[in-house]
Structure formats: C-alpha cells, structure tokens
C-alpha cells in the first residue's frame, strides 16, 4: 500500500551546482516558514563542492530543494566517502525547503529516486528543530524510501514571550532601575550611545567593529576563537556573503553600544516573521564592571518588543542569563544523519550518539 502511494505521481530530479535562485522563491512559501533559508544563507555556510537537489512535479512546480556541501575537516576524504551536509550558519538552525503542498509520499518518492544519490551516501541535517514540519516530513519520507535516519539531541532552545512582556508592561521597575544604574556607571567613563544597523546600513566598517569587540572579549582570551562570529577574516566573510542578499540584510540587525567613538558591545539578531533569533552577542572585557553585556541584551529585547515581535529565540546553552531575562525552555534540537546503507548505518550509529560534534555543542551556546 505504501509503495503504491510513494510511486503515485511522476517527479523529476535535477542537481544544480551551488545554490540556484529557485531557493529564494521556495523560501518565501516554504513549509517551515523560515524565510531566511535563501541561496545566500546556504552559500555563506557552505564548505565547498556545493550543489542543490531540486525536485519538481510534471509542469515544473517545485516540491523540495535540498542544498548540500562537503562535510568534515578533510574534503577529499569526505568526497570519496560521499558524506555531505545541509549548510548554513550553525544558528539559528539548519533546514531544507519543502513546498507547503508536498506530502510525505511525494517526498519519499523523490528520496527513493536514483537522482537522490547526488545527496551522498550519508548526509547531515542539524541542528534542526525536532518539531519543524519540513524536518519531520523529510525524516518520515526518508525512512519510507529506505534511508536509515540516525538522530542525537542537540539542545533545547530558550524562548522569551514578547507578547506577554508587552501586555504586562516592560521593563519592570526593578529592571529599569538596574539598567539606569549601569548606564550612569558607564557615563562616568565617557558618553554612551546606541547604534542600530539594518538593511542598507550594513558595511565592512560595521562588521569590523563587531570583530574588534569580540577580539577584546573573553572569547579571545579564553577560547580558540572558533565560536566567534566576526573576530577572524573568514568569519566576517561568511556574514558578508549572507548580507549580499538585500532580503537577508534587512532581516539581520546589529545593536551596538558605543562609548564615545569606541564600539564596546553588540547584539546580533535575525528577524523572521514574528520571531527574532538572537544569533550572537559580545562585549569588551575591560568594561565588564559596567554591565555592558546586560545593557546591550536588554536594549535588543526592548527594541524587539517595540517592533512588535512575538518571540525572542535565544538558542540553546548558557541558560542562566536567559532565564534572568525571562526565557523559558522551548523546543528541542536534533542532529540528524541520513544513511543510505543499512550496514553503514549500524556502524555509524555506534559512534554517532556519543561523538562530540565537530561544531559547537549547541546553537548559540
């Protein structure tokens, strides 16, 4: 019965180099509703040897698009082994594009097609929302098509209900008082002011300022810098690539705290419909006693409330300051591997659940 449903409608599969403009059109109406999953977003996070599998119905209507690129620290080895990943910035999340009128049997037919071999013998999707409708559909469809799907947990996201804060009145008097104290303390060091960057305001100078903040932060002193977003040239280039798309540039916002002419803290966020994703934030260590990290976080929260956003999604990890801001545990993330061979899946499963990811342990953690 399932086999007849899977084979019900004819589909054509096409593999295109890189990330074609069809991704942008599908992102506008995709099942998941994540409008930032556009060609430039995938291109910015790709690690080479990139291609996109486009699935169409007779007549040309897109059913799904699955972008992939090389996966792993040794591209030649992973290319030989056929290991690939769905690219993109590690946070907010990773996902594929599925048309809203697609069903699991149609997608299963595509994943069982010979053309789906271009996805590789193994391909990774993660971190992905466990409850994302496109993710749920591709997992079910892949299993129907004979793929083995391995899953491991990748954290829980922390969410702030902005509608509730707006209705209750924000900030509370105690919060406002603490912020005023921090601001006055900063005024003893110079003249503080806010910069807000979005859309056409983005330029190399802004990206450089954010990189300089990270270079003077704890992350430069205490880590290898791989978790930074702007500190190194290749990290800056990733965001230049994403910002080359005017739609993404309008969605991305930086709130930067200045002291005289010196950038000292930032919050970097992404608007996607009613949701705002907190991608990153940092502050210079020598002014930490002025609570500038708190000042910039709460300024971003204040602006999101004023802009009419409904949810601030702060990602997984480091729940202490997020709880203090009013965040509560939300949805879970999964890190998924799709493996064509049942035998290979049994071997990989022995290490997949236990292996530490080559990337950060949790989004925005």
């Amino acid at each position: 019965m399932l086999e007849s449903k899977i084979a019900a409608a004819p589909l054509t599969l096409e593999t295109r180099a890189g990330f074609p403009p069809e991704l942008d059109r599908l992102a506008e109406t995709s099942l998941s509703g994540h409008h930032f999953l556009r060609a430039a977003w995938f291109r910015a996070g790709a690690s080479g040897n990139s291609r996109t599998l486009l699935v169409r119905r007779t007549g040309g209507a897109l059913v799904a698009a699955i972008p992939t690129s090389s996966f792993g620290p040794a591209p030649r080895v992973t290319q030989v082994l056929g290991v690939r990943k769905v690219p993109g910035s590690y946070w907010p999340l990773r996902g594929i594009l599925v048309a809203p009128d697609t069903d699991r049997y149609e997608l299963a037919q595509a994943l069982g097609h010979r053309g789906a071999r271009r996805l590789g013998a193994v391909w990774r999707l993660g971190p992905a929302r466990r409850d994302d409708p496109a993710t749920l559909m591709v997992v079910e469809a892949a299993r129907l098509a004979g793929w083995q799907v391995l899953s491991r947990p990748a954290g829980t996201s922390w969410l702030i209900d902005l509608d509730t804060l707006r209705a209750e009145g924000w900030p509370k008097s105690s919060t406002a008082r603490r912020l005023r104290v921090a601001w006055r303390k900063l005024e003893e060091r110079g003249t503080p002011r806010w910069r807000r960057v979005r859309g056409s305001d983005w330029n190399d100078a802004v990206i450089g300022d954010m990189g300089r903040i990270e270079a003077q932060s704890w992350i430069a002193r205490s880590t290898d810098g791989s978790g930074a977003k702007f500190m190194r040239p290749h990290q800056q280039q990733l965001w230049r690539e994403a910002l080359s798309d005017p739609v993404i540039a309008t969605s991305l916002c930086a709130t930067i705290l200045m002291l005289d002419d010196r950038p000292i803290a930032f919050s970097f966020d992404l608007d996607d419909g009613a949701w705002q994703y907190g991608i990153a934030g940092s502050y210079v260590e020598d002014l930490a006693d002025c609570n500038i990290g708190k000042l910039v976080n709460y300024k971003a929260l204040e602006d999101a409330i004023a802009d009419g956003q409904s949810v601030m999604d702060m990602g997984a990890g480091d729940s202490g300051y997020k709880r203090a801001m009013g965040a509560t545990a939300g949805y879970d993330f999964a890190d998924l591997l799709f493996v064509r061979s049942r035998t290979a899946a049994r071997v990989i499963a022995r290490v997949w659940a236990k292996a530490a990811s080559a990337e950060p342990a949790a989004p925005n953690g």
Side-chain angles (χ1 to χ4, degrees), residues 36 41 89-94 127 129 239 270 277-279 313 315 331 333 363:
F36 62 88
W41 187 267
S89 174
Y90 196 73
W91 172 246
L93 47 83
R94 289 180 180 155
R129 285 186 62 155
W239 294 108
L270 170 70
Y277 296 95
I279 295 180
D313 191 332
Y331 58 85
F333 292 99

Side-chain angles (χ1 to χ4, degrees), residues 41-311:
W41 187 267
F42 290 111
R43 189 163 55 245
S47 52
N49 189 25
S50 302
R51 54 181 179 253
T52 299
L53 181 69
L54 298 174
V55 182
R56 302 181 189 274
R57 299 187 184 101
T58 301
L62 274 174
V63 170
I66 306 179
T68 59
S69 66
S70 298
F71 170 41
R76 289 185 181 179
V77 174
T78 55
Q79 186 172 348
V80 171
L81 295 176
V83 182
R84 303 182 63 77
K85 69 174 181 179
V86 175
S89 174
Y90 196 73
W91 172 246
L93 47 83
R94 289 180 180 155
I96 69 167
L97 297 170
V98 177
D101 59 348
T102 302
D103 65 37
R104 57 180 175 167
Y105 301 112
E106 196 170 28
L107 192 54
Q109 181 190 352
L111 292 173
H113 193 283
R114 286 186 61 186
R117 293 180 180 275
R118 296 287 286 167
L119 290 172
V122 180
W123 57 284
R124 179 189 184 187
L125 173 60
R129 285 186 62 155
R130 283 190 181 273
D131 62 352
D132 182 279
T135 298
L136 291 170
M137 183 179 291
V138 74
V139 167
E140 189 171 5
R143 286 174 173 153
L144 286 172
W147 291 78
Q148 309 303 303
V149 183
L150 307 180
S151 175
R152 65 183 180 190
T156 299
S157 197
W158 290 85
L159 311 178
I160 299 178
D161 185 338
L162 302 180
D163 290 334
T164 296
L165 293 185
R166 189 182 298 108
E168 292 177 347
W170 190 93
K172 295 179 179 179
S173 57
S174 57
T175 300
R177 183 169 59 254
R178 287 194 296 270
L179 294 175
R180 286 196 299 270
V181 169
W183 190 262
R184 285 197 294 267
K185 189 171 184 178
L186 188 59
E187 287 180 317
E188 295 173 2
R189 310 285 187 92
T191 302
R193 60 185 175 88
W194 293 107
R195 289 169 60 194
R196 199 175 188 207
V197 178
R198 186 190 295 276
S200 61
D201 296 331
W202 283 106
N203 55 48
D204 285 351
V206 173
I207 292 173
D209 282 347
M210 295 164 76
R212 280 187 285 276
I213 291 170
E214 287 186 325
Q216 299 169 66
S217 73
W218 67 271
I219 198 168
R221 175 180 54 81
S222 304
T223 76
D224 63 3
S226 61
K229 297 295 184 291
F230 300 96
M231 192 167 71
R232 294 175 175 168
H234 74 275
Q235 294 166 335
Q236 294 184 10
Q237 183 55 37
L238 183 155
W239 294 108
R240 287 193 191 95
E241 185 65 60
L243 289 163
S244 67
D245 181 334
V247 174
I248 295 177
T250 299
S251 299
L252 288 169
C253 176
T255 302
I256 304 175
L257 178 57
M258 304 289 295
L259 185 64
D260 297 324
D261 293 326
R262 181 190 179 191
I264 59 172
F266 74 83
S267 177
F268 182 53
D269 306 289
L270 170 70
D271 292 344
D272 193 33
W275 287 59
Q276 182 176 95
Y277 296 95
I279 295 180
S282 194
Y283 57 89
V284 300
E285 274 198 307
D286 61 292
L287 292 172
D289 63 315
C290 295
N291 287 320
I292 56 177
K294 177 177 288 187
L295 282 171
V296 76
N297 285 337
Y298 279 82
K299 177 60 174 174
L301 178 60
E302 177 186 13
D303 289 343
I305 292 171
D307 288 345
Q309 301 295 103
S310 293
V311 179

